[in-house]
Amino acid sequence: MTPLSEDFDENYDRFIVEATESGVVWGLEGDDGFAVCPSVKHEDTDVMPFWSSRELAEAVCVDEWEVYSPVAIDLEEFLDDWLPGLHQDVILVGINWNDDLEGAEEEPLDLLEDIDDELS
């Protein structure tokens, strides 16, 4: 598995390519549900992170995040249900965050559009 780049835009593009090729995205789930954390860009906004591979998601399951485990989400379900729901709940999506939990924070419908563009 190729490590993530230091360039968040590159990691975002990688997510789109790998997710559309595999048909799966990865979230982190614990006893209290899926992982969310405060946005570093937008005050009073939460972010739910997702990764393009199990290995990348597992890499952040350390320290306070060791309570989470990677969970596969079918890409079609992610596009049809998750992203519209996160948009409605005003939750951003974190894309292919690195081991320091840093990376792109995007509006769910922007990600939806970018993935749709890749699929067509």
Side-chain angles (χ1 to χ4, degrees):
M1 169 70 38
T2 306
L4 290 170
S5 166
E6 302 223 353
D7 182 331
F8 297 161
D9 291 335
E10 189 176 307
N11 294 336
Y12 179 84
D13 292 341
R14 175 180 174 176
F15 176 91
I16 292 170
V17 169
E18 291 180 352
T20 56
E21 287 176 356
S22 69
V24 174
V25 301
W26 294 85
L28 297 179
E29 189 174 25
D31 290 341
D32 295 330
F34 278 82
V36 293
C37 61
S39 169
V40 295
K41 295 181 180 179
H42 306 281
E43 198 172 312
D44 299 325
T45 304
D46 285 333
V47 181
M48 185 176 287
F50 297 96
W51 290 265
S52 57
S53 75
R54 178 183 191 92
E55 293 81 6
L56 294 174
E58 283 176 337
V60 303
C61 295
V62 295
D63 300 326
E64 68 268 11
W65 285 59
E66 69 184 353
V67 298
Y68 297 109
S69 299
V71 174
I73 303 165
D74 179 77
L75 184 61
E76 187 174 330
E77 178 184 343
F78 186 67
L79 298 175
D80 293 346
D81 300 331
W82 284 75
L83 293 176
L86 290 168
H87 170 75
Q88 187 173 6
D89 293 341
V90 192
I91 297 175
L92 297 174
V93 288
I95 302 302
N96 269 355
W97 283 0
N98 63 26
D99 299 354
D100 295 323
L101 297 171
E102 298 172 329
E105 294 182 6
E106 302 294 331
E107 203 326 292
L109 297 185
D110 291 342
L111 177 60
L112 177 64
E113 183 177 325
D114 290 343
I115 293 174
D116 278 344
D117 288 347
E118 179 71 20
L119 289 169
S120 37

XYZ file of all heavy atoms in Angstrom, residues 26-37 48-50 68-73 82:
173
model
N -14.231 3.411 3.241
C -14.037 2.915 4.606
C -14.267 4.014 5.627
O -13.718 5.105 5.509
C -12.619 2.355 4.748
C -12.420 1.144 3.905
C -12.069 1.105 2.586
C -12.624 -0.206 4.304
N -12.041 -0.196 2.152
C -12.367 -1.014 3.176
C -12.994 -0.808 5.506
C -12.469 -2.399 3.218
C -13.082 -2.184 5.556
C -12.835 -2.969 4.426
N -15.099 3.728 6.621
C -15.312 4.613 7.755
C -14.816 3.919 9.009
O -14.386 2.767 8.966
N -14.871 4.621 10.121
C -14.464 4.052 11.398
C -15.662 3.995 12.323
O -16.330 5.005 12.540
C -13.366 4.899 12.043
C -12.055 4.994 11.290
C -11.083 5.885 12.054
C -11.448 3.627 11.046
N -15.924 2.811 12.863
C -17.064 2.635 13.753
C -16.593 2.120 15.099
O -15.716 1.255 15.175
C -18.076 1.669 13.135
C -19.378 1.609 13.906
C -20.442 0.768 13.210
O -20.092 -0.128 12.416
O -21.622 1.017 13.474
N -17.195 2.663 16.162
C -16.932 2.217 17.522
C -18.247 1.909 18.206
O -19.309 1.897 17.571
N -18.193 1.679 19.495
C -19.405 1.347 20.260
C -20.453 2.454 20.196
O -21.643 2.193 20.289
C -19.051 1.068 21.721
C -18.271 -0.233 21.880
O -18.311 -1.076 20.954
O -17.609 -0.393 22.926
N -20.013 3.703 20.052
C -20.937 4.840 20.032
C -21.284 5.305 18.628
O -21.826 6.391 18.444
C -20.344 6.007 20.826
C -20.193 5.679 22.304
O -20.996 4.877 22.823
O -19.265 6.211 22.938
N -20.959 4.509 17.621
C -21.270 4.880 16.248
C -20.022 5.233 15.467
O -18.905 4.877 15.854
N -20.218 5.935 14.369
C -19.110 6.286 13.489
C -18.330 7.475 14.034
O -18.883 8.364 14.676
C -19.627 6.572 12.071
C -19.842 5.322 11.273
C -21.003 4.584 11.432
C -18.868 4.856 10.400
C -21.200 3.412 10.729
C -19.056 3.679 9.696
C -20.220 2.956 9.854
N -17.034 7.466 13.757
C -16.127 8.505 14.238
C -16.478 9.857 13.624
O -16.683 9.962 12.417
C -14.684 8.145 13.887
N -16.548 10.864 14.465
C -16.670 12.255 14.045
C -15.768 13.083 14.948
O -15.485 12.698 16.079
C -18.120 12.816 14.116
C -19.014 12.143 13.112
C -18.678 12.719 15.492
N -15.324 14.203 14.430
C -14.499 15.101 15.237
C -14.738 16.532 14.762
O -15.291 16.746 13.687
C -13.028 14.716 15.147
S -12.350 14.789 13.496
N -16.866 13.821 9.492
C -16.822 12.362 9.542
C -15.794 11.912 8.501
O -15.972 12.161 7.314
C -18.188 11.750 9.247
C -18.193 10.239 9.404
S -19.849 9.503 9.175
C -20.654 10.004 10.701
N -14.701 11.265 8.951
C -13.648 10.881 8.008
C -13.931 9.556 7.294
O -14.560 8.652 7.849
C -12.421 10.760 8.909
C -12.968 10.406 10.250
C -14.325 11.055 10.339
N -13.429 9.470 6.062
C -13.530 8.266 5.241
C -12.206 8.060 4.508
O -11.485 9.018 4.227
C -14.662 8.397 4.209
C -16.018 8.536 4.828
C -16.573 9.791 5.022
C -16.734 7.417 5.230
C -17.822 9.933 5.608
C -17.982 7.551 5.826
C -18.524 8.811 6.015
N -12.019 2.601 17.588
C -12.691 2.450 16.296
C -12.070 1.325 15.476
O -10.884 1.014 15.615
C -12.606 3.751 15.487
C -13.306 4.913 16.134
C -12.582 5.963 16.681
C -14.691 4.952 16.206
C -13.222 7.039 17.275
C -15.340 6.026 16.801
C -14.604 7.062 17.332
O -15.242 8.119 17.917
N -12.885 0.768 14.586
C -12.430 -0.237 13.632
C -12.936 0.147 12.246
O -14.044 0.674 12.108
C -12.991 -1.616 13.984
O -12.553 -2.024 15.250
N -12.140 -0.157 11.212
C -12.581 0.148 9.846
C -13.813 -0.666 9.457
O -13.916 -1.852 9.786
C -11.387 -0.254 8.979
C -10.226 -0.273 9.905
C -10.777 -0.668 11.242
N -14.730 -0.016 8.773
C -15.954 -0.648 8.294
C -16.132 -0.271 6.823
O -16.063 0.912 6.466
C -17.180 -0.169 9.108
C -18.469 -0.708 8.527
C -17.041 -0.540 10.567
N -16.361 -1.285 5.990
C -16.568 -1.046 4.558
C -17.983 -0.523 4.319
O -18.942 -0.999 4.923
C -16.359 -2.337 3.784
N -18.085 0.450 3.420
C -19.375 1.010 3.009
C -19.429 0.919 1.483
O -18.528 1.428 0.799
C -19.517 2.483 3.462
C -19.357 2.605 4.979
C -20.850 3.055 2.991
C -19.122 4.020 5.469
N -25.398 8.073 2.380
C -24.502 8.712 3.334
C -24.257 10.185 3.022
O -24.418 11.036 3.900
C -23.157 7.965 3.378
C -23.206 6.684 4.134
C -23.763 5.507 3.724
C -22.684 6.442 5.435
N -23.612 4.555 4.689
C -22.945 5.102 5.753
C -22.007 7.237 6.351
C -22.555 4.535 6.959
C -21.617 6.670 7.554
C -21.899 5.324 7.850
